[in-house]
Amino acid sequence: MVHQEQITIPTKGNGDMHDITEQVNKIVKKSGISVGMVHIFNVGSTGAIGAIEFEPGLQKDLPAILNKLIPPSRDYLHEQTWHDGNGHSHLQATWLGPEITVPVSNGKLILGTWQQIFHLECDVKYRQRQVVVTVYGE
């Protein structure tokens, strides 16, 4: 069996993080699937999905370390081509990745106590993000 829905996330630009665990959990429950997997995918090349302890310190630390490792710059070839200020955004999102798959058991996400599913906006401007959640199993 397969069930699919979308989540819309309004973001505020680079570094804006959202805990989407509860929204994903509601979709899993609605699917009626007891055992399987849930795949969460950000549509677009400058947003990322992952798992983290979603607390205020890490909400600041993750974007900050990404901006240190892959800083905003006009030197990226993407900038020289498009001049849109988000070369680093594409690289940051690519590094983290656009998706995560989480096991489902007894109709619930299998996550650690301090593990939540997050969406991170890497682009330089606000976006209306679409995140596709696909639950499959039985």
Side-chain angles (χ1 to χ4, degrees), residues 19 21 28 30 39 55 58 60 65 73 106 115 124 131 135:
D19 180 352
T21 310
V28 168
K30 186 177 173 182
H39 181 255
E55 55 84 22
L58 288 172
K60 292 177 183 165
I65 195 69
S73 169
N106 295 318
Q115 189 176 34
V124 296
V131 174
V135 190

Side-chain angles (χ1 to χ4, degrees), residues 94-125:
T94 298
W95 193 354
L96 290 178
E99 63 188 334
I100 188 171
T101 301
V102 178
V104 172
S105 183
N106 295 318
K108 297 179 185 174
L109 299 170
I110 299 178
L111 292 169
T113 302
W114 306 113
Q115 189 176 34
Q116 290 81 41
I117 302 166
F118 72 86
H119 178 274
L120 175 65
E121 181 61 68
C122 298
D123 210 342
V124 296
K125 59 184 176 180

